[in-house]
Amino acid sequence: MKRPRPNEDSLEQPGMAAGGAGAGAQISDGFPCVRLRGLPFDVMEGDIKMFLELEPVDILMVKRDGRFSGEAFVVLGSLQLVEAALQKHRQFIGQRFIEIFPAQKRDYYRAVCQYCGADRYGGMGMMDPSMAGYNPMMGGYDPSMMGMGMDMNMMGYGQGYGQQGMGMGMGGRGGMGGMGGGTTWLKLRGLPFAAVPDDIIAFFDDGTLGIPRIDPSKVHMWTDGGRPTGMALVQFSTPQEASMARNKDKGLMGTRYVEIFPATRGDLEKFMARTGENIPM
């Protein structure tokens, strides 16, 4: 009997779910994440967002030997958004067609370890980074949660990232903020790509907030290779002001709604690495 040739999409490869690729692929562990393969080597996070036509929770560009591999993990807000992303399987970015697979939680975390360097976080090796305070919603490690073994349910996982379940986690309004004891830094996501610091200042210049007008030097636009990412960091004078400013979460700037999170030390380090701009820690 002639054995059928294996289909490439059905091969179980590291970092890919065994359920295939594209629409209808099986999401084996319920983790809302996809892996993109075949990306142009000069692709930026903004390009991936525009390609998927979604607002990701996190984008992790996979590197090998210090070079971008053409692969990326994209964490999304719900399994419904994963299904939407899988519809883009084998569509093109430029001249490259992109393969999209459901990604397993362990493989995303493995890539996080490789990206950050295991030695930097106490040689945790292949340990689940959620055990070391890694929070994809906050874009990095939260030192205040190191060693606490945070389960994904504590970050709103299972109810949809960015939904009401987040209130019980590290980044929700009921949580401890990004740096323990309150932070003066906020991370904005979903900004129009044409946004400038004055737009952000005007966004928070809302009499209902009860906070002073932001100094322009406290607004830092997050770029990647000089290109806008739709994100920014804003420093407030006190943790209380930052907390009040979060009442603008999901407020509109133009036609885009802006998400606001407490910024972690990991966010600040990642910002400086990407932009080359030094900011106070």
Side-chain angles (χ1 to χ4, degrees), residues 137-213:
M137 277 300 300
M138 294 292 97
Y141 283 83
D142 181 349
S144 68
M145 303 309 299
M146 295 289 264
M148 291 189 66
M150 289 296 291
D151 185 86
M152 293 298 285
N153 289 320
M154 292 295 290
M155 295 184 287
Y157 177 59
Q159 301 180 37
Y161 286 106
Q163 307 300 322
Q164 294 301 319
M166 282 302 298
M168 295 301 294
M170 288 178 281
R173 296 182 190 276
M176 64 182 64
M179 290 183 170
T183 176
T184 59
W185 287 94
L186 295 181
K187 180 171 72 172
L188 279 58
R189 189 178 65 196
L191 296 166
F193 288 136
V196 296
D198 283 346
D199 297 319
I200 293 174
I201 293 170
F203 179 72
F204 286 111
D205 192 15
D206 183 336
T208 64
L209 297 179
I211 60 176
R213 186 177 175 86

Side-chain angles (χ1 to χ4, degrees), residues 49 55 137-138 184-192 195-197 199-204 214 218-222 229-236 242 245-246 248-251 253 257-263 267 271:
K49 290 181 183 180
E55 282 293 335
M137 277 300 300
M138 294 292 97
T184 59
W185 287 94
L186 295 181
K187 180 171 72 172
L188 279 58
R189 189 178 65 196
L191 296 166
V196 296
D199 297 319
I200 293 174
I201 293 170
F203 179 72
F204 286 111
I214 300 170
K218 303 298 185 182
V219 180
H220 305 269
M221 306 304 295
W222 196 316
T229 63
M231 296 193 296
L233 292 176
V234 181
Q235 187 180 27
F236 293 82
R246 290 197 66 206
K248 293 288 288 186
D249 183 40
K250 293 184 172 58
M253 183 179 294
Y257 74 86
V258 179
E259 297 176 288
I260 304 174
F261 308 97
D267 287 322
F271 172 87

Side-chain angles (χ1 to χ4, degrees), residues 16-35 74 76 78-87 100-105 157:
M16 298 174 192
Q26 181 181 355
I27 304 171
S28 61
D29 66 354
F31 185 58
C33 181
V34 293
R35 181 165 184 159
V74 181
L76 297 161
S78 67
L79 295 180
Q80 288 77 14
L81 295 179
V82 170
E83 295 289 352
L86 291 171
Q87 299 289 334
I100 306 179
F101 304 83
Q104 296 181 340
K105 176 181 175 181
Y157 177 59

Side-chain angles (χ1 to χ4, degrees), residues 252-274:
L252 285 174
M253 183 179 294
T255 59
R256 303 286 297 272
Y257 74 86
V258 179
E259 297 176 288
I260 304 174
F261 308 97
T264 66
R265 181 174 294 273
D267 287 322
L268 305 187
E269 292 175 349
K270 189 174 180 181
F271 172 87
M272 291 189 286
R274 291 284 180 88

